[in-house]
């Protein structure tokens, strides 16, 4: 267990009404089996539960597979692939449960952890997140880059995002309502969970191997997510350049004085084109880099001001209201 954020008050309700939010993108191969197993497990936990699957624009028969399943299952089909963060946001928007559990559709998140979530919720925690014991299911490069990302994030951002905690978590209804109030288009859910606060606790779990196909996140998608995380939760990359600029200017002044003294006192002829070339190219690089970072923020501001919805729903199944 890691870092509780506040002293919790135990809850009187023993068996809460559970909504399970399941983002699914091209999971037709195993989603039927997954939903059967999940419903069976949830039935042992509470009399009242529902599973809300968000088909994130799958190109296979994910939606059809879900609709063919019996049980308290609702389905939201998005109009295209909007990404996991948007799919989760869509799920949270529609989730009615007293507690909401977010879980992947690929069997990587073991069901018994949900029991532990509920126990901690009953103890009074509003958010219980699962922390991976190890990341053996990820490749070495992904593990190292992910560690680097969390290191950078913890230094640059004022909110603390627990390392190795993902979307597999339980949220109290209160937390769900808080998350619904966040209107941003650049959604980095791991940051938003931390940003809203509430009494939170992490519990360790061992992640399973993916049951079918392979991860839907390639290097570029992960890089984009990491940039969204950094730019959404830190202004340091923007501010850094004040420091870098000041330092370079100071060095330039000292160097100018040095050249002046050398020329006036020692009468050295003008030389040093190599120094000039190095200085010009170095400064060119620094300027392009800083403009690039500015551009990154600008692009995200542009995205925000367009105020486009984060996702569009193409079809609903199992909903009483249209
Ligand atoms: N997913 C999604 N939209 C996407 C990519 C993934 O809804 O664009 C879902 C996917 O179906 C799965 C969960 O998000 O239920 C986690 O995806 P995946 O297993 O590919 O990621 P990883 O476990 O490698 O982080
Ligand atoms: Mg997975």
């Amino acid at each position: 267990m890691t870092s509780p954020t506040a002293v919790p008050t135990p809850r009187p309700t023993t068996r809460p009404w559970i909504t399970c939010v399941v983002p699914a993108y091209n999971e037709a191969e195993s989603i039927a089996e997954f939903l059967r197993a999940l419903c069976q497990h949830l039935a042992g936990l509470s009399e009242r539960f529902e599973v809300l699957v968000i088909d994130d624009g799958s190109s296979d028969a994910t939606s059809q597979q879900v609709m063919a399943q019996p049980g308290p299952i609702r389905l939201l089909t998005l109009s295209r692939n909007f990404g996991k963060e948007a799919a989760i946001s869509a799920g949270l928007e529609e989730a009615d449960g007293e507690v909401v559990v977010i879980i992947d559709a690929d069997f990587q998140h073991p069901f018994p952890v949900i029991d532990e979530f509920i126990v901690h919720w009953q103890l009074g925690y509003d958010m219980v997140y699962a922390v991976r014991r190890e990341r053996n299911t990820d490749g070495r490069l992904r593990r190292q880059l992910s560690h680097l990302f969390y290191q950078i994030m913890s230094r640059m951002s004022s909110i603390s995002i627990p390392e190795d905690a993902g979307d597999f978590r339980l949220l109290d209804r209160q937390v769900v309502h808080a998350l619904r109030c966040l209107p941003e288009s650049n959604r980095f859910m791991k940051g938003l969970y931390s940003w809203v606060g509430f009494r939170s606790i992490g519990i360790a779990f061992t992640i399973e191997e993916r049951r079918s196909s392979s991860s839907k996140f390639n290097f570029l998608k992960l890089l984009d997510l990491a940039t969204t995380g950094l730019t959404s939760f830190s202004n340091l990359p923007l501010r850094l350049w004040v420091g870098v600029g000041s330092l370079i200017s100071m060095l330039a002044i000292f160097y100018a004085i040095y050249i002046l003294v050398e020329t006036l006192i020692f009468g050295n002829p003008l030389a040093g084109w190599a120094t000039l070339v190095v200085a010009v190219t170095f400064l060119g690089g620094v300027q392009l880099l800083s403009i690039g970072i500015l551009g990154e923020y600008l692009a995200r501001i542009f995205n925000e001001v367009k105020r486009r919805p984060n996702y569009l729903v193409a079809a609903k199944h199992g909903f009483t209201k249209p």
Side-chain angles (χ1 to χ4, degrees), residues 134-274:
E134 71 290 296
R135 303 183 64 104
N136 294 347
T137 53
D138 289 346
R140 216 172 114 186
L141 183 68
R142 182 166 166 179
R143 257 183 284 164
Q144 281 171 347
L145 287 176
S146 160
H147 181 64
L148 180 71
F149 169 73
Y150 283 107
Q151 295 258 306
I152 296 175
M153 213 50 196
S154 69
R155 281 183 177 75
M156 284 198 174
S157 151
S158 54
I159 58 155
S160 90
I161 299 177
E163 184 164 353
D164 292 339
D167 294 305
F168 184 28
R169 57 183 70 216
L170 172 144
L171 314 173
D172 180 76
R173 185 184 274 164
Q174 240 186 319
V175 180
V176 175
H177 283 252
L179 286 168
R180 283 183 197 164
C181 295
L182 306 180
E184 57 234 79
S185 310
N186 293 288
R187 293 187 90 75
F188 178 63
M189 292 307 295
K190 290 183 193 73
L192 299 181
Y193 301 132
S194 295
W195 188 89
V196 294
F198 292 95
R199 285 161 301 191
S200 313
I201 192 166
I203 55 171
F205 84 111
T206 309
I207 195 153
E208 306 270 328
E209 285 293 338
R210 212 176 200 287
R211 197 62 77 83
S212 62
S213 59
S214 57
S215 174
K216 308 289 186 306
F217 286 89
N218 56 28
F219 177 72
L220 282 181
K221 265 194 177 182
L222 285 171
L223 189 68
D224 187 48
L225 193 62
T227 325
T228 304
L230 263 178
T231 51
S232 310
F233 289 96
S234 174
N235 291 332
L236 196 68
L238 280 176
R239 293 184 171 154
L240 189 74
W241 301 103
V242 178
V244 175
S246 313
L247 188 75
I248 292 179
S249 307
M250 295 231 297
L251 289 178
I253 291 170
F254 285 129
Y255 191 57
I257 294 171
Y258 166 75
I259 294 173
L260 204 69
V261 170
E262 208 189 19
T263 313
L264 291 182
I265 299 180
F266 302 105
N268 277 356
L270 268 184
W273 71 270

Side-chain angles (χ1 to χ4, degrees), residues 21 192 280 289:
V21 167
L192 299 181
V280 168
L289 190 67

Side-chain angles (χ1 to χ4, degrees), residues 183-186 299-308:
E184 57 234 79
S185 310
N186 293 288
R300 286 169 198 278
I301 296 169
F302 185 45
N303 256 346
E304 292 295 340
V305 297
K306 282 189 270 190
R307 314 249 15 95
R308 285 186 191 150

Side-chain angles (χ1 to χ4, degrees), residues 104 106 108 210 215:
D104 284 0
D106 56 3
Q108 285 199 279
R210 212 176 200 287
S215 174

